[in-house]
Amino acid sequence: MPVRMLAVHCPDWPTLAAGTGPEVPAAVVEANRVVTVTAAARAAGVLPGLRRRDAQGRCPELRLLAADPDRDARAFEPVVAAVETVVPGVEVTRPGDCLVPVRGAARYFGAEALVVAQIRGAVAAVAGDCRIGIADGPFAAGLAGRLGETVPAGASACFLAGLPVELVDRPELAGLLRRLGLPTLGAFAALPAAQVVDRFGPDGALVHRLAQGDDERLPEPRMVPPDLTVATELDPPADTVEAVVFTARRLAEDCHAKLLAAGLACARVAIEAETENGERLRRVWRHDGPLTAAAITDRIRWQLDGWLSAAALASEASRAAPPGTGHGPGASGGGHGPTAGVTWIRVVPEDLLAADGRQLGLWGEPGAADGRVRRALDRVQGLLGPDAVLTAEVRGGRDPATAVRLVPWGEPRGPRDATEADRAGAPWPGRLPAPAPATVLAEPRRAQLLDAAGEPVIVSGRTVATGAPAWLAVDGRPPVRVTGWAGPWPADERWWEPSGRRRARFQLTTEDGDARLLFVEGGRWWWEASYG
């Protein structure tokens, strides 16, 4: 028999997660189409599925919100936690909707109606009003939650019979059923099961069983993450970073110990602080790999140093400002840092992953040299700050200076920070062939390229050179004979903007043994990189 389930549905959740109430006409837009609207927007004729321009035409004062599933999931977490205070074993189907078995809770509280009242009160304290429904099986319960109905046991098939087929969340199947004259779940459920399998396949057979109220799937309760947050109170409040160094080390060690006890590590940590004036500060630090206790300590110190230094600078600027400028003592606003001493510090591990503990080899640890290098870099970075140690990362681009980016040690590298063209794997027209230059000049230097007759080499608009390069002069030095060359390689960048650049590049070797990369722009030659 299907499990008796209770469903909690928060209407128009993405708009609520974005901080917009139902009384404000607003819509969440993704791929230029409306996906969710508030009650006020729905009353103005804005419906999901409309194009953005059509929605704005129906409601000119419509507020457009960007779709953000991560934001929706984070905002829904307090709702799930509130439901778990009444009944454990919550299964989140999507941000705004969750399910929980209700049979045991109904025996505990005495009736299903009492469970509904308890959950409604718990959810109202964190997210306002919600709809709650009960039915047999997750599918019927989810639809009952959207309608806010309690379906008697054994009556799920009758409840589903009059509902439209679009509620199965399979647009192609729903459209086909409507074209076949089967607009409701009851009409589809009345078909013989064998013919449904032949015509619609296994997925259609699954929807057919759901439409008949036959949903034997057991709920999949979410794993409640352990509480790994560590916090401490500072008394007296701290207004200098020296006052919190010891506390930062202790917090980091406590946080790391909690992670180890749970068999976990974290690649991201959120640092939160609260001041005497009630200000709340939060910053998230991400690391390319598991964070050690020392790395967490450094990030707490760096962040508090940044906040407290900003506060000190703002205070000095306030005292130095002349009267009447609006920046003196007592002026509203202020700098970007706190306006009072820090009284609370919290460290919240995020982006959890399994700790990669392993047995060391009998004849030494594999990769021991790499480990020593990493520890040395971590130490230097801890002493000098997060931007003191930089590593090179090769990226896409046509310009040798932009094809390499310097990334702070420990920061994420690769696809997370890659350009759009890199993510798509697209080629770069005009990119230099291998090998890449060994040295890229900070500022290109003037050069002169001549042919055998001593005339300047010019590259036409069709990227054709007027002559073969024979002599090269750089930095005002005497010309040197060219022994080999390749090019030109055109690069027409951002031609649709006034700031666009049109260049052509040459690779040249000279009789003095140098190999250089030159480009011509606006009729002038420039030396920008060397291969030796």
Side-chain angles (χ1 to χ4, degrees):
M1 293 293 294
V3 179
R4 193 77 172 156
M5 301 289 292
L6 179 147
V8 177
H9 173 68
C10 297
D12 310 325
W13 180 255
T15 61
L16 293 176
T20 305
E23 71 283 354
V24 178
V28 175
V29 179
E30 184 176 18
N32 210 34
R33 287 193 177 274
V34 174
V35 293
T36 309
V37 299
T38 60
R42 193 178 297 109
V46 179
L47 301 175
L50 284 177
R51 294 180 64 86
R52 179 175 61 180
R53 181 169 297 181
D54 296 336
Q56 290 176 313
R58 296 188 181 187
C59 182
E61 64 274 14
L62 184 69
R63 180 184 301 177
L64 298 179
L65 308 170
D68 188 349
D70 293 338
R71 174 199 63 203
D72 301 343
R74 288 194 302 269
F76 193 56
E77 179 63 24
V79 178
V80 178
V83 176
E84 286 179 329
T85 61
V86 181
V87 185
V90 176
E91 175 185 355
V92 180
T93 55
R94 66 174 64 84
D97 292 271
C98 62
L99 297 166
V100 63
V102 72
R103 185 168 297 164
R107 289 197 299 265
Y108 178 81
F109 287 102
E112 291 179 346
L114 297 178
V115 181
V116 171
Q118 290 286 334
I119 293 180
R120 191 183 302 279
V123 174
V126 296
D129 194 18
C130 67
R131 297 176 186 172
I132 299 177
I134 300 178
D136 296 338
F139 177 71
L143 298 182
R146 296 187 188 184
L147 300 176
E149 298 184 9
T150 297
V151 181
S156 291
C158 296
F159 165 70
L160 296 171
L163 299 179
V165 292
E166 285 77 12
L167 294 178
V168 298
D169 200 19
R170 289 170 172 80
E172 294 184 1
L173 177 61
L176 177 58
L177 293 178
R178 279 209 171 268
R179 291 193 297 273
L180 293 175
L182 304 170
T184 63
L185 293 176
F188 184 43
L191 297 178
Q195 296 182 9
V196 170
V197 174
D198 293 339
R199 177 63 178 84
F200 301 102
D203 189 61
L206 172 62
V207 176
H208 185 253
R209 291 198 303 271
L210 295 178
Q212 292 177 329
D214 182 12
D215 187 359
E216 299 179 357
R217 182 179 69 84
L218 296 176
E220 299 179 0
R222 70 171 190 146
M223 296 297 295
V224 180
D227 184 10
L228 301 173
T229 301
V230 294
T232 188
E233 183 178 6
L234 301 177
D235 189 13
D239 55 3
T240 62
V241 69
E242 290 78 10
V244 296
V245 168
F246 178 77
T247 301
R249 184 180 298 110
R250 181 171 57 81
L251 278 176
E253 292 174 352
D254 292 345
C255 177
H256 198 253
K258 276 193 171 186
L259 288 168
L260 289 180
L264 299 172
C266 71
R268 188 174 62 186
V269 63
I271 300 168
E272 302 174 353
E274 187 173 332
T275 70
E276 288 182 289
N277 292 342
E279 299 164 309
R280 294 180 180 271
L281 309 171
R282 176 182 168 89
R283 185 66 51 82
V284 177
W285 289 80
R286 186 185 295 274
H287 189 68
D288 192 12
L291 282 162
T292 63
I296 297 175
T297 301
D298 288 338
R299 278 147 184 81
I300 298 174
R301 180 169 56 83
W302 294 338
Q303 192 55 62
L304 291 174
D305 190 13
W307 281 332
L308 296 174
S309 298
L313 291 174
S315 178
E316 292 178 4
S318 177
R319 288 194 299 267
T325 60
H327 299 285
S332 62
H336 299 287
T339 60
V342 175
T343 57
W344 277 92
I345 303 175
R346 298 178 185 86
V347 179
V348 185
E350 299 179 353
D351 200 0
L352 303 178
L353 59 154
D356 56 351
R358 55 189 174 86
Q359 179 66 42
L360 300 182
L362 183 60
W363 290 281
E365 179 185 357
D370 293 341
R372 287 194 297 270
V373 172
R374 287 194 296 270
R375 288 191 292 272
L377 295 178
D378 287 338
R379 178 61 176 166
V380 174
Q381 189 182 48
L383 293 173
L384 302 180
D387 296 326
V389 181
L390 305 176
T391 57
E393 177 188 18
V394 178
R395 297 166 57 90
R398 304 176 183 86
D399 190 346
T402 59
V404 177
R405 188 181 69 129
L406 296 179
V407 183
W409 170 250
E411 289 298 310
R413 300 160 57 89
R416 184 182 294 139
D417 292 328
T419 60
E420 293 296 333
D422 291 336
R423 293 192 190 100
W428 287 87
R431 186 174 186 175
L432 288 173
T439 304
V440 179
L441 303 181
E443 294 291 338
R445 301 180 185 176
R446 289 294 304 272
Q448 189 177 18
L449 190 62
L450 308 174
D451 58 17
E455 296 295 329
V457 177
I458 299 174
V459 179
S460 68
R462 296 181 179 273
T463 65
V464 177
T466 58
W471 299 92
L472 173 64
V474 295
D475 286 342
R477 289 179 288 184
V480 182
R481 185 178 297 276
V482 174
T483 58
W485 60 277
W489 291 287
D492 195 358
E493 299 177 300
R494 308 189 71 84
W495 50 265
W496 59 91
E497 292 184 355
S499 60
R501 304 183 66 180
R502 181 178 176 85
R503 292 176 288 177
R505 288 188 169 90
F506 274 83
Q507 291 172 332
L508 300 144
T509 58
T510 54
E511 61 182 0
D512 57 3
D514 288 338
R516 294 182 174 91
L517 176 68
L518 277 73
F519 71 86
V520 58
E521 181 178 14
R524 294 183 177 182
W525 286 94
W526 300 87
W527 169 33
E528 65 174 338
S530 297
Y531 290 89

